[in-house]
Amino acid sequence: MDLIPAPHQMERATGFLELGDGFGIEAGPGTEDTARWLRATLGPATGLALPPKKGDEHDVLHLSVRPGPDAEAYRLVIAPHGVHIQGGSQSGVFWGAQTLRQLLGSDAFRRAPLPGRTWRLPLTEIRDSPRFRWRGLMLDVARHFMPKEGVLRYLDLMAAHKLNVFHFHLTDDQGWRIEIERHPRLTEIGSWRARTKTGHRASPLWEEKPHGGYYTQDDIREIVAYAAERHITVVPEIDVPGHSQAAIAAYPELGNTDVIDTTALSVWDTWGINPNVLAPTDNTLRFYEGVFEEVLELFPSEFVHVGGDECPKDQWRRSETAQARIRELGLADEDELQSWFIGHFDNWLAARGRRLIGWDEILEGGLAEGAAVSSWRGYAGGIAAARAGHDVVMCPEQQVYLDHRQDPGPDEPVPIGWVRTLEDVYRFEPVPAELTPEEARHVLGTQANVWTEVMEDPARVDYQTFPRLAAFAEVAWSALPAPAERDFAGFERRMTAHYRRLDALGVAYRPPAGPLPWQRRPGVLGRPIDGPPPNR
């Protein structure tokens, strides 16, 4: 039946349930949102009204919650008289509905019914539950802005793959994408850059026109609500103390003013690691506390991501203000100064009932108590954090950075990084073998990251993200064997059906045979890395 991600247990019986015009939905307590979603998606695709019906009737889809130890587990039974989806919570019911949609066939992913199409479901019983509680996708909208409608579309694509954490990378050197009412210049100035580097930072090519955009607070509320209806948590990222030139361009006093003329800085127009970082002053702390106060009002998530990665320390070494702060606090060096900076916001967030998460550089100089780690520079950071008793999300760049190229061929558009094929992603294992069972319990889950320096429009984002996100989703959800033992040939067979679903959804994925002519970008310089990635 070609389901992706593969369910935990499935039993197929002989025959089908035909869906006629009278087929309806009985929504038990707590399942009303899933019933609305089914009518809003399957209704247009099938032409069926899916009216409310009572449970003692035939041709009914029964939705019910039976609380259990796994809130996201579900049981789906398709019998000759009707269908029953039972979940451990509302989330479990919703994931069961996603499976039901796949069982209806690829045309169930369209927005209007095709003439003459009939609908039937295979008689089946499925019992399913996810391996990890954190099944994430990070989308970088700072390097290239994605309008709100595109973000909502990606939330739908995540839901279709049973992913449940949307890591929203909202700020960076190249743009500030969220309205902060008390600091209006962050979007008035920080959301637009004058031009954009085309390709890798070593490329001689430029797009000589302004690029930018931002989400109003009402846009953010809409995105968060839309995600919640799909049982997806939105984790915002506000990058500190590095990756902050857009903020410094808007408010120069945030930078190291005793080292450089921060008033001369503009929103950065190229890629790479930027030397202009936040000054470790009380003014900077108060400014970002104000930012985070508004962020907390908009995002109810348990975790708030603060970045913490790629913060060059040269300006702090040359800054008398930074050096005075090191002496005042009795710190050993600039690494400990960054640890103090991150620790301040860890305590600030904890006092408000939230948890800080950051990239694995927050380990440098001592990990802030209570913080969780996004392990991106390989497995080492995650291993160190888990052994120290900190929660971890595994997202190593060598495995699940989807901006990396998918094939060594010369036709790949703007080839970046190591080759990470569909099979490579399918054989990714999030839990390092070095961890003991107790330490492994700190691995909350895993996440694929989509950085958009060389993705100038939604079609490029689609190309880099799909079909590899389907393989990642199975890794995050399904109880797969060890990487070498995984049935990739079977996964490829199931992908044949899944490509038709992606086609119906209008996803501009990379075809198995390679890029289509209009997906190539000849003459645009990339940064390919030869050889297999280090598995560290």
Side-chain angles (χ1 to χ4, degrees):
M1 287 180 280
D2 299 329
L3 297 175
I4 290 178
H8 179 68
Q9 184 179 8
M10 179 168 57
E11 296 180 11
R12 174 76 163 92
T14 302
F16 293 87
L17 170 65
E18 304 287 340
L19 305 189
D21 292 338
F23 190 81
I25 300 176
E26 180 194 35
T31 70
E32 296 85 358
D33 286 350
T34 296
R36 278 193 293 272
W37 178 85
L38 284 164
R39 291 189 179 102
T41 53
L42 296 188
T46 62
L48 302 176
L50 304 176
K53 294 187 76 172
K54 295 182 179 179
D56 56 358
E57 301 179 67
H58 282 252
D59 295 329
V60 179
L61 168 58
H62 310 265
L63 305 177
S64 64
V65 173
R66 179 177 291 180
D70 189 340
E72 292 189 283
Y74 69 89
R75 176 174 177 250
L76 168 61
V77 178
I78 302 169
H81 58 277
V83 182
H84 198 155
I85 300 175
Q86 184 182 87
S89 69
Q90 297 176 40
S91 297
V93 175
F94 183 73
W95 302 131
Q98 293 292 343
T99 299
L100 181 73
R101 188 188 191 189
Q102 289 197 16
L103 290 172
L104 279 168
S106 60
D107 288 342
F109 291 78
R110 298 188 181 277
R111 297 187 182 183
L114 299 183
R117 182 72 161 84
T118 59
W119 300 95
R120 63 180 191 171
L121 289 164
L123 302 184
T124 309
E125 179 173 351
I126 294 173
R127 295 177 183 267
D128 201 8
S129 60
R131 180 184 180 192
F132 294 109
R133 57 172 278 205
W134 185 302
R135 307 181 302 279
L137 173 69
M138 189 229 67
L139 181 63
D140 166 23
V141 296
R143 274 51 177 271
H144 278 99
F145 180 65
M146 180 176 285
K148 180 189 67 178
E149 288 302 317
V151 174
L152 300 179
R153 173 176 175 263
Y154 259 81
L155 291 169
D156 280 330
L157 291 171
M158 288 179 64
H161 292 82
K162 298 187 174 72
L163 300 175
N164 69 340
V165 178
F166 179 55
H167 177 167
F168 206 7
H169 185 80
L170 287 162
T171 73
D172 218 295
D173 300 300
Q174 296 86 0
W176 184 283
R177 305 296 180 213
I178 178 172
E179 177 187 28
I180 302 296
E181 292 178 348
R182 73 190 69 186
H183 301 308
R185 293 207 304 272
L186 285 172
T187 47
E188 291 171 0
I189 295 172
S191 70
W192 294 90
R193 59 179 181 261
R195 64 176 187 167
T196 300
K197 174 69 70 172
T198 300
H200 181 249
R201 60 181 175 269
S203 167
L205 304 177
W206 295 88
E207 183 180 43
E208 298 286 353
K209 70 176 184 180
H211 175 85
Y214 66 92
Y215 310 102
T216 68
Q217 294 203 356
D218 280 344
D219 290 338
I220 294 292
R221 293 184 182 98
E222 179 183 356
I223 288 167
V224 170
Y226 194 86
E229 289 174 351
R230 286 146 184 80
H231 300 272
I232 295 170
T233 299
V234 184
V235 174
E237 181 179 354
I238 306 295
D239 228 324
V240 296
H243 287 289
S244 297
Q245 183 161 319
I248 298 169
Y251 292 92
E253 65 271 21
L254 296 174
N256 294 284
T257 57
D258 58 345
V259 174
I260 63 163
D261 178 11
T262 56
T263 64
L265 295 177
S266 59
V267 178
W268 212 25
D269 56 12
T270 189
W271 322 123
I273 299 177
N274 190 305
N276 298 305
V277 303
L278 297 174
T281 64
D282 289 343
N283 174 68
T284 300
L285 297 180
R286 300 293 87 77
F287 183 96
Y288 273 88
E289 287 171 0
V291 169
F292 282 116
E293 282 179 7
E294 296 192 26
V295 167
L296 295 191
E297 291 175 0
L298 295 168
F299 297 92
S301 55
E302 174 187 1
F303 288 96
V304 175
H305 208 290
V306 300
D309 62 317
E310 297 180 330
C311 178
K313 310 297 194 302
D314 181 63
Q315 289 185 358
W316 287 354
R317 293 185 185 98
R318 295 187 289 128
S319 166
E320 179 51 38
T321 300
Q323 293 301 312
R325 178 68 91 180
I326 289 173
R327 293 191 296 271
E328 170 198 339
L329 296 170
L331 303 176
D333 54 22
E334 292 76 20
D335 284 344
E336 287 195 5
L337 182 61
Q338 177 169 337
S339 178
W340 165 81
F341 195 107
I342 296 297
H344 174 86
F345 286 103
D346 179 50
N347 293 329
W348 189 91
L349 289 167
R352 288 154 181 81
R354 306 297 186 94
R355 293 184 64 188
L356 179 146
I357 186 169
W359 303 111
D360 55 52
E361 283 93 333
I362 66 174
L363 291 160
E364 296 168 2
L367 183 59
E369 184 178 357
V373 169
S374 300
S375 186
W376 77 273
R377 293 180 298 178
Y379 289 99
I383 292 169
R387 285 176 173 167
H390 293 271
D391 289 338
V392 178
V393 175
M394 297 302 301
C395 49
E397 65 169 333
Q398 302 92 331
Q399 310 294 335
V400 287
Y401 267 36
L402 301 186
D403 51 308
H404 285 209
R405 58 194 172 132
Q406 303 183 64
D407 188 90
D411 289 339
E412 289 302 305
V414 198
I416 298 295
W418 291 286
V419 173
R420 292 287 86 193
T421 65
L422 184 67
E423 181 173 1
D424 290 330
V425 174
Y426 190 67
R427 297 194 189 280
F428 164 58
E429 172 49 49
V431 179
E434 296 92 328
L435 296 181
T436 67
E438 179 64 28
E439 292 164 347
R441 279 194 274 274
H442 285 290
V443 179
L444 299 177
T446 184
Q447 178 172 292
N449 294 340
V450 179
W451 300 103
T452 62
E453 286 93 335
V454 299
M455 302 182 208
E456 73 284 354
D457 57 41
R460 282 284 293 124
V461 177
D462 278 7
Y463 180 92
Q464 292 299 132
T465 305
F466 290 97
R468 292 182 295 181
L469 193 68
F472 172 80
E474 185 147 309
V475 168
W477 177 278
S478 305
L480 298 177
E485 299 168 11
R486 293 177 188 171
D487 181 10
F488 180 68
F491 176 77
E492 278 193 306
R493 285 193 297 273
R494 286 182 284 125
M495 278 301 299
T496 301
H498 201 66
Y499 286 122
R500 293 195 293 271
R501 297 177 194 129
L502 297 178
D503 287 333
L505 289 167
V507 177
Y509 59 84
R510 181 191 187 275
L516 299 167
W518 53 86
Q519 293 174 321
R520 301 167 188 156
R521 299 184 70 201
V524 181
L525 183 66
R527 186 184 63 91
I529 303 176
D530 293 330
N535 194 24
R536 61 179 188 272

